[in-house]
C-alpha cells in the first residue's frame, strides 16, 4: 500500500481503519481501530515531539502496517507535511544531507544503513525506531553517532507506541505518553491502561518503576523452565550485550531430567568456532551478574552452530519457530 492509497482510506466515510498485526509472534491478524482512537494516539506523539504545522515527517515503512499509518494521522492532525518512500534496507536515498525532517520513522535494519553512510543527514531532528528491539551493537553505534534516536514500545492494538525511551548510555525504562499508565498481572505481564479506561494485557514480562515507567524483561511465551526455574532468554541476552560477535539466540532443548536445558544457537555459516571456548566465555560473562545467579539462572549447557536462524517477517529471530525445531514439534 502507498501513502496515497492509505490517505484515501483515512479520509473515507468509515469511522474505523482495518489494520493487520505484524505477525512477529504468530500469524498476522486483521483488527479494526477507530479513527478517533488513532487521532488521540497521534495527538500524544505530536505533543511529545512538538510536531506542528511547520514540521515535516518522513517514513521509510510499509503503509500496510500501523507505524506508517500513524505517520499519516500525525501529519493530518498537525496539518504538516508527510513524505514517504518505498520500504527498503537502504533508506533516504532521495533525501539531501541537510534536508529537514522533524520525525523520521525506521526499523533497526534501516537505522544500520543510516549509520553506515559516510555522510550524516544533518537535518534530521528525531528518529523513531520501532518494529523490534534494538540490538546491543546497534545501540552502541547510535549513542556514538550523535543522532537523536527514540526507541518505541507499542503494538497495532494500541495504535502504535504507548511509550518511548531515548537511546542513550543509561538504557533506562520506557516512559508512557501522557494519560497512559501501566501495571503487571500475577504472571508479571505488562498491562497497558489507556486514557479511555480500557486496558490491554500483553505477553511481555515487565518490571515497573512506578505507574508510567517500565522495563521489558522478555516474553512470557519465550520463558524456558528448567528444573522448575523460569529463565528469560531475552534478559540473559541483554546481559551479554555486544560481547557476542555473531547473531545468536538462547533457546532450549528437551531434557529428561530437567524438562528443558538452555542452549545457545549461533548463526555462523562456514566459520570455524570453538564452541567450548565460546560457552566458557559466556559463563564467565554471566557470573558478573549477581541477580541472575541468585535466580538460579546458569549459562547455556551447549553451543549449537547453524547456517541460518529462522526469522520473522520483520527479520528478527523467530524464537517460537526455533523452539519448535529444537524440540522436534
Amino acid at each position: 500500500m502507498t501513502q496515497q492509497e492509505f490517505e484515501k482510506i483515512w479520509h473515507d466515510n468509515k469511522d474505523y481503519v482495518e489494520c493487520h498485526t505484524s505477525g512477529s509472534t504468530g500469524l498476522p491478524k486483521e483488527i479494526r481501530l477507530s479513527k478517533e482512537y488513532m487521532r488521540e494516539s497521534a495527538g500524544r506523539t505530536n505533543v511529545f515531539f512538538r510536531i506542528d504545522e511547520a514540521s515535516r515527517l518522513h517514513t521509510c515503512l510499509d503503509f500496510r502496517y500501523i507505524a506508517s499509518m500513524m505517520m499519516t494521522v500525525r501529519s493530518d492532525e498537525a496539518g504538516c507535511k508527510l513524505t514517504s518512500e518505498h520500504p527498503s534496507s537502504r533508506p533516504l536515498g532521495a533525501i539531501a544531507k541537510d534536508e529537514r525532517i522533524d520525525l523520521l520513522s525506521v526499523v533497526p535494519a534501516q537505522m544500520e544503513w543510516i549509520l553506515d553512510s559516510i555522510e550524516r543527514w544533518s537535518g534530521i531532528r528525531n528518529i523513531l525506531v520501532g518494529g523490534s528491539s534494538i540490538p546491543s551493537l546497534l545501540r552502541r553505534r547510535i549513542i556514538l553517532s550523535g543522532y537523536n534516536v527514540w526507541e518505541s514500545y507499542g503494538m497495532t492494538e494500541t495504535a502504535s507506541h504507548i511509550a518511548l525511551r531515548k537511546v542513550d548510555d543509561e538504557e533506562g525504562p520506557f516512559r508512557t505518553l501522557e494519560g497512559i499508565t501501566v501495571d503487571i498481572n500475577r504472571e508479571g505481564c505488562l498491562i497497558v491502561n489507556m486514557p479511555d479506561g480500557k486496558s490491554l494485557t500483553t505477553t511481555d514480562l515487565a518490571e515497573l518503576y512506578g505507574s508510567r515507567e517500565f522495563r521489558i524483561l522478555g516474553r512470557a511465551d519465550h520463558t524456558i523452565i528448567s528444573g522448575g526455574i523460569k529463565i528469560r532468554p531475552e534478559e540473559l541476552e541483554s546481559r551479554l550485550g555486544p560481547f557476542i560477535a555473531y547473531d545468536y539466540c538462547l533457546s532450549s532443548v528437551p531434557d529428561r531430567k530437567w524438562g528443558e536445558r538452555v542452549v545457545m544457537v549461533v548463526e555462523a555459516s562456514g566459520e570455524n568456532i570453538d564452541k567450548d571456548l565460546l560457552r566458557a566465555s559466556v559463563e564467565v560473562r554471566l557470573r558478573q551478574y549477581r541477580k541472575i545467579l541468585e535466580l538460579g539462572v546458569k549459562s547455556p549447557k551447549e553451543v549449537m552452530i547453524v547456517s541460518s536462524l529462522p526469522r520473522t517477517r520483520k527479520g528478527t529471530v523467530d524464537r517460537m519457530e526455533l523452539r519448535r525445531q529444537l524440540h522436534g514439534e
Side-chain angles (χ1 to χ4, degrees):
M1 184 186 298
T2 65
Q3 177 182 341
Q4 293 72 28
E5 288 170 336
F6 178 71
E7 286 175 349
K8 289 181 180 179
I9 293 173
W10 180 247
H11 293 292
D12 66 20
N13 58 7
K14 295 179 181 178
D15 62 358
Y16 64 86
V17 171
E18 293 180 345
C19 308
H20 288 84
T21 59
S22 65
S24 59
T25 60
L27 293 175
K29 61 181 180 179
E30 184 177 281
I31 63 173
R32 290 182 175 182
L33 293 177
S34 77
K35 290 181 178 178
E36 183 58 32
Y37 185 68
M38 295 171 74
R39 290 189 188 98
E40 291 171 357
S41 172
R44 289 188 288 268
T45 299
N46 286 350
V47 168
F48 185 90
F49 288 109
R50 299 181 181 178
I51 302 299
D52 58 26
E53 64 277 2
S55 302
R56 179 195 171 180
L57 313 182
H58 185 81
T59 179
C60 307
L61 308 178
D62 194 326
F63 277 88
R64 291 179 299 170
Y65 299 109
I66 195 66
S68 277
M69 288 183 181
M70 288 306 300
M71 291 293 275
T72 299
V73 183
R74 291 165 196 147
S75 69
D76 192 67
E77 286 295 290
C80 68
K81 182 179 181 181
L82 169 67
T83 54
S84 63
E85 60 185 79
H86 183 75
S88 75
S89 59
R90 298 185 175 189
L92 305 184
I95 303 296
K97 297 298 180 181
D98 60 350
E99 200 168 338
R100 175 178 171 176
I101 296 176
D102 294 283
L103 183 61
L104 171 68
S105 182
V106 298
V107 293
Q110 293 170 327
M111 191 69 220
E112 288 272 13
W113 169 255
I114 293 171
L115 297 178
D116 286 340
S117 300
I118 298 174
E119 298 180 55
R120 283 176 50 87
W121 278 273
S122 59
I124 300 176
R125 187 162 65 89
N126 290 290
I127 301 177
L128 183 61
V129 180
S132 63
S133 60
I134 299 176
S136 298
L137 289 174
L138 176 57
R139 185 179 300 277
R140 175 57 51 188
R141 294 187 66 196
I142 289 172
I143 294 169
L144 297 175
S145 74
Y147 282 114
N148 197 29
V149 181
W150 296 85
E151 185 175 6
S152 65
Y153 176 85
M155 56 209 76
T156 305
E157 292 86 344
T158 58
S160 191
H161 52 260
I162 57 95
L164 297 164
R165 69 176 174 188
K166 182 77 176 292
V167 179
D168 56 27
D169 285 306
E170 298 301 321
E171 198 173 341
F174 284 99
R175 181 171 177 79
T176 63
L177 298 182
E178 193 63 37
I180 300 172
T181 61
V182 289
D183 203 345
I184 56 174
N185 64 13
R186 291 182 179 180
E187 289 72 39
C189 293
L190 185 73
I191 301 173
V192 179
N193 304 308
M194 302 300 291
D196 61 3
K198 295 181 180 179
S199 296
L200 174 68
T201 301
T202 73
T203 56
D204 289 321
L205 298 167
E207 184 176 29
L208 299 187
Y209 300 87
S211 62
R212 293 189 60 191
E213 294 186 335
F214 62 94
R215 187 169 70 89
I216 296 298
L217 304 177
R219 289 184 60 88
D221 47 7
H222 295 161
T223 300
I224 299 167
I225 303 177
S226 182
I229 297 173
K230 293 183 178 180
I231 301 168
R232 299 162 184 165
E234 294 99 331
E235 186 173 13
L236 286 180
E237 290 167 3
S238 71
R239 301 297 181 181
L240 292 173
F243 174 70
I244 308 299
Y246 306 95
D247 284 342
Y248 74 97
C249 181
L250 295 180
S251 189
S252 70
V253 295
D255 188 282
R256 294 180 65 180
K257 182 177 182 180
W258 304 110
E260 297 179 83
R261 68 177 184 274
V262 181
V263 296
M264 170 180 277
V265 186
V266 179
E267 184 177 87
S269 178
E271 298 188 48
N272 186 20
I273 298 176
D274 188 327
K275 294 190 289 186
D276 291 334
L277 178 60
L278 178 58
R279 192 183 72 82
S281 299
V282 168
E283 184 174 3
V284 170
R285 183 77 173 179
L286 292 180
R287 282 178 185 166
Q288 300 174 18
Y289 299 97
R290 182 180 300 274
K291 179 180 178 181
I292 291 179
L293 295 181
E294 286 175 350
L295 290 173
V297 175
K298 304 299 182 182
S299 62
K301 299 298 183 184
E302 180 184 354
V303 173
M304 306 172 69
I305 309 297
V306 297
S307 58
S308 62
L309 290 161
R311 303 280 177 174
T312 67
R313 293 161 61 94
K314 294 180 180 179
T316 57
V317 176
D318 189 334
R319 292 179 185 272
M320 298 302 289
E321 175 58 26
L322 178 61
R323 175 189 167 83
R324 284 191 288 269
Q325 292 177 9
L326 294 175
H327 284 246
E329 298 174 355

